[in-house]
Amino acid sequence: MKDNQVIKLLRMSKVSKKSIALAIIFGIISSIASLIVPLMTRNIIDGTMSDFSLQSLLMLLGVFGVGAVFNGLTFFIVSYLGNKIVADLRKKLWDKIVYLPQRFFDSSLSGDTVSRITNDTNVLKELVSEHAISFVTGTITLVVSVIILFIMDWQMTLIMLLAIPIGAAVLVPLGKIMFKISEKTQTKTAHFTSEITQSVSEMKLVKSSNAEVLEKEKASKSIGELFKYGIKEAKVFATLYPLMEGLVMIMVFGIVGYGGMRVASGTLTSGTLIAFVLYLFQIIMPITQFGTFFTQYNKAKGATTRLMEILESDVEDNQSGEAIDVSNKAISFENVSFAYEEKPILENISFTARPNETLAFAGPSGGGKSTIFALIERFYLPNNGSIKIGEQDVMEVSLQSWRSQIGYVPQENSLFATSIRDNLTYGLDEKISDERLWEVIELACASDFVENLPDKLDTLIGERGLKLSGGQRQRIAIARAFLRNPKILLLDEATASLDSQSEQIVQQALENLMEGRTTLVIAHRLSTIVNANQIVFIESGKVTGIGDHEGLLENHKLYNEFAKQQLTN
């Protein structure tokens, strides 16, 4: 099964069959040239081409030259094929990954996914570019050499062929061992990549927690495990090479010894014996290549298993549903329940967000408020119930159409280590003018600091926007939402982590953004939602109250307690 998976994975790449055929043909020409050399040498020594002359030397050099040129061409084409295959596989993997459901990323470490795209595909590249065509041409060289040797002297050829079952007895068990080592090595490499990626991305936390020693120890342990498996792999090669060399020496000594006796008895010419030895060396190279090929092939099987897990995963549902305009349509949850890995999060949630009004969510932390937003964005699907836009189930709407009409401003915004311009226009197809960019920056109350940046719109803001303050990052996110001009706006505690001054500025920007849109807000502070048209109070995944601020003050005990704690001077 795993053997078939390697072939299946390689077939997924868009490699030209003509290129493969050309590489094989050039390889065969190179092999034929190398096979002619021993015959020419025999004829020269045995005197059938008359005395050794300049002409015979030039012919010999010419054959060498042809072999060398076509060998170089074969190497280039094979290297091209290897790089093309790995490029196609990486593209196919990434094209699949970006459409995988959020659950995949929740259960996978980012470094592990990166390792699959980089390290695992590189194993396949090495198999193709360094071993595959050599295996094919080596097989041809081996078969043709054996045929020629049988024609020259079948008895000596049979003696030489006795080494083949011995070689197979060595290669098969070593190949199985290498496969097991490779699987574990790829897994450990991915784990190490994940650890390092996570630590580098959270280096402030590492330093503020005085955790440098802890990180050193974690990395040292992972490096030690990789070293251990590297040594195991080295042991396999260290066993393989001496055995192969020993096998070769036995073949050489056997042929030379037996052939020498035949020459002495007059039943074999000196030229034939030398040609036999030269062909023997022609055969040695393919046999050695077979050993490294099968070792690399077993490594590739381990990498393929991990890659196929991604390629065979299901993508998000409804990539190609109906495109609709959600303007002036209500969003409603109808008895929606959701569990994450069998842990209940929401239970029979029902509410309606009316068009162009503000619906707020309040309640204790961990009640499931952010999960509601994740369901609206369709990062996850409900276990029961339905989410509707107007009278239509959102599952009937294409993801691209649905998400293009939603603006999402979370508590902690995601920004890329590029320019402000690139972050603002991220995901938009059309070219946005500077005039429009400055317009949304003004609406987001961000013009005061963007104008003072050294390169203004083209200023690089660092990884995750760390060169900006929290309030500045939020305003860039709000400006990005303005630029998308969403019909539905999701605000997930967008001011929760800000100081009072930044909060006031961001709150003004949010009010500008909310105008004329259907807005759903998760409240950290009740002061930000007292004017909402409706407030949904959620406790432990259940709706325990719906109404406006005044109504919940009168009728909902816990909401009243929240209000007394937060709104009373």
Side-chain angles (χ1 to χ4, degrees):
M1 177 66 179
K2 286 172 182 173
D3 291 4
N4 294 334
Q5 282 187 331
V6 175
I7 309 259
K8 180 180 178 182
L9 198 61
L10 292 175
R11 283 178 176 171
M12 288 181 180
S13 61
K14 300 175 182 177
V15 173
S16 167
K17 292 181 180 178
K18 291 181 180 179
S19 298
I20 297 173
L22 200 61
I24 293 173
I25 290 169
F26 285 177
I28 291 172
I29 293 173
S30 176
S31 298
I32 290 172
S34 65
L35 290 170
I36 291 174
V37 170
L39 289 175
M40 294 179 68
T41 303
R42 182 193 68 173
N43 293 338
I44 290 172
I45 292 172
D46 288 345
T48 57
M49 289 181 63
S50 70
D51 296 331
F52 187 78
S53 64
L54 179 62
Q55 182 181 1
S56 60
L57 175 62
L58 290 176
M59 287 179 63
L60 193 60
L61 290 175
V63 172
F64 265 120
V66 169
V69 169
F70 279 94
N71 190 43
L73 290 172
T74 304
F75 175 80
F76 173 78
I77 296 172
V78 169
S79 296
Y80 168 82
L81 289 172
N83 282 283
K84 184 70 169 67
I85 285 172
V86 77
D88 287 346
L89 284 177
R90 284 172 177 170
K91 185 177 185 302
K92 192 174 290 292
L93 282 165
W94 186 245
D95 288 350
K96 184 64 176 281
I97 286 169
V98 294
Y99 288 109
L100 290 177
Q102 186 59 40
R103 286 182 184 271
F104 172 84
F105 302 100
D106 292 343
S107 59
S108 303
L109 295 172
S110 57
D112 179 76
T113 305
V114 170
S115 180
R116 295 190 194 200
I117 298 174
T118 54
N119 298 328
D120 291 2
T121 54
N122 203 53
V123 172
L124 288 165
K125 173 190 170 184
E126 291 174 2
L127 174 67
V128 174
S129 61
E130 298 178 20
H131 304 286
I133 300 297
S134 298
F135 175 76
V136 173
T137 57
T139 302
I140 294 168
T141 299
L142 179 63
V143 171
V144 175
S145 295
V146 170
I147 291 172
I148 293 172
L149 290 174
F150 262 112
I151 294 171
M152 289 173 59
D153 193 292
W154 65 269
Q155 292 169 308
M156 288 180 62
T157 305
L158 285 177
I159 292 173
M160 182 187 68
L161 292 180
L162 289 174
I164 292 178
I166 300 173
V170 171
L171 289 176
V172 172
L174 285 178
K176 291 179 179 178
I177 294 170
M178 179 55 74
F179 171 64
K180 293 178 181 178
I181 294 172
S182 174
E183 268 196 317
K184 291 179 180 178
T185 300
Q186 295 300 117
T187 301
K188 293 294 182 183
T189 300
H191 180 69
F192 177 59
T193 304
S194 296
E195 281 188 342
I196 296 298
T197 301
Q198 181 173 279
S199 298
V200 169
S201 65
E202 299 295 341
M203 193 52 70
K204 281 187 176 179
L205 176 62
V206 172
K207 292 183 179 297
S208 64
S209 304
N210 289 325
E212 290 91 343
V213 173
L214 173 64
E215 291 299 327
K216 281 173 59 181
E217 290 173 350
K218 283 168 56 181
S220 179
K221 181 180 178 183
S222 295
I223 291 169
E225 289 176 342
L226 281 173
F227 174 76
K228 181 177 71 174
Y229 284 107
I231 294 301
K232 286 183 178 180
E233 187 174 304
K235 286 179 180 178
V236 173
F237 282 110
T239 304
L240 176 66
Y241 289 138
L243 286 173
M244 295 301 294
E245 288 179 5
L247 189 61
V248 167
M249 291 306 296
I250 291 171
M251 291 170 65
V252 170
F253 285 125
I255 292 298
V256 170
Y258 178 69
M261 289 188 294
R262 293 277 303 279
V263 170
S265 66
T267 59
L268 188 73
T269 66
S270 299
T272 301
L273 177 59
I274 291 174
F276 228 98
V277 173
L278 290 176
Y279 275 120
L280 179 59
F281 284 107
Q282 295 274 24
I283 293 171
I284 289 169
M285 182 62 72
I287 291 175
T288 305
Q289 288 172 342
F290 293 164
T292 55
F293 171 79
F294 284 113
T295 301
Q296 186 67 27
Y297 185 72
N298 279 293
K299 289 177 68 176
K301 285 197 293 182
T304 299
T305 302
R306 289 162 42 81
L307 294 175
M308 292 304 291
E309 287 176 4
I310 292 178
L311 292 171
E312 293 178 350
S313 297
D314 295 327
V315 298
E316 289 182 295
D317 293 330
N318 282 39
Q319 294 287 346
S320 57
E322 182 183 357
I324 68 167
D325 185 351
V326 303
S327 301
N328 300 313
K329 293 182 179 179
I331 302 172
S332 57
F333 273 47
E334 297 181 359
N335 298 312
V336 170
S337 296
F338 175 73
Y340 188 80
E341 295 182 351
E342 300 183 357
K343 178 185 177 183
I345 306 295
L346 300 174
E347 185 177 345
N348 294 323
I349 297 289
S350 296
F351 63 81
T352 298
R354 294 188 288 268
N356 305 319
E357 291 188 0
T358 298
L359 176 73
F361 297 92
S365 297
K369 300 184 292 296
S370 294
T371 302
I372 290 174
F373 277 18
L375 291 174
I376 293 173
E377 280 275 16
R378 290 165 63 184
F379 296 150
Y380 307 101
L381 304 180
N383 296 103
N384 295 297
S386 61
I387 304 171
K388 293 186 175 180
I389 181 70
E391 298 299 320
Q392 189 171 12
D393 195 307
V394 296
M395 289 303 297
E396 298 173 2
V397 183
S398 79
L399 276 173
Q400 196 280 333
S401 172
W402 178 248
R403 288 174 179 166
S404 69
Q405 299 177 80
I406 296 176
Y408 184 30
V409 182
Q411 180 178 342
E412 291 292 335
N413 268 291
S414 300
L415 298 175
F416 290 103
T418 54
S419 66
I420 288 177
R421 182 195 304 277
D422 290 341
N423 274 283
L424 289 176
T425 58
Y426 182 71
L428 298 177
D429 295 329
E430 69 272 21
K431 184 176 177 59
I432 309 297
S433 67
D434 283 9
E435 182 181 1
R436 176 58 179 157
L437 292 177
W438 283 110
E439 183 181 333
V440 297
I441 286 171
E442 183 70 34
L443 289 169
C445 303
S447 58
D448 59 333
F449 77 86
V450 175
E451 287 175 346
N452 291 321
L453 292 173
D455 296 313
K456 297 182 171 53
L457 291 172
D458 296 313
T459 300
L460 300 178
I461 60 175
E463 189 172 6
R464 291 175 290 128
L466 288 177
K467 291 183 179 180
L468 303 178
S469 69
Q472 290 172 339
R473 289 197 295 271
Q474 286 295 81
R475 282 180 275 169
I476 292 298
I478 293 167
R480 181 165 60 192
F482 265 118
L483 201 57
R484 290 173 66 89
N485 192 25
K487 314 289 176 52
I488 300 167
L489 187 61
L490 306 180
L491 305 178
D492 187 354
E493 298 186 317
T495 63
S497 59
L498 305 180
D499 59 76
S500 57
Q501 183 178 3
S502 296
E503 181 182 8
Q504 290 177 4
I505 299 171
V506 171
Q507 191 61 45
Q508 179 58 54
L510 289 173
E511 289 174 8
N512 294 340
L513 181 59
M514 292 164 64
E515 189 174 344
R517 308 176 201 277
T518 303
T519 304
L520 293 88
V521 182
I522 294 176
H524 176 73
R525 299 181 180 89
L526 293 186
S527 59
T528 62
I529 62 167
V530 291
N531 295 320
N533 300 97
Q534 285 188 91
I535 299 172
V536 179
F537 201 87
I538 297 180
E539 301 175 63
S540 302
K542 298 178 181 178
V543 174
T544 58
I546 298 180
D548 59 16
H549 174 66
E550 296 298 331
L552 288 177
L553 275 178
E554 293 181 11
N555 302 315
H556 197 286
K557 182 179 178 182
L558 188 54
Y559 183 86
N560 186 285
E561 292 177 8
F562 273 40
K564 286 180 180 179
Q565 292 170 3
Q566 296 185 29
L567 302 177
T568 304
N569 293 327

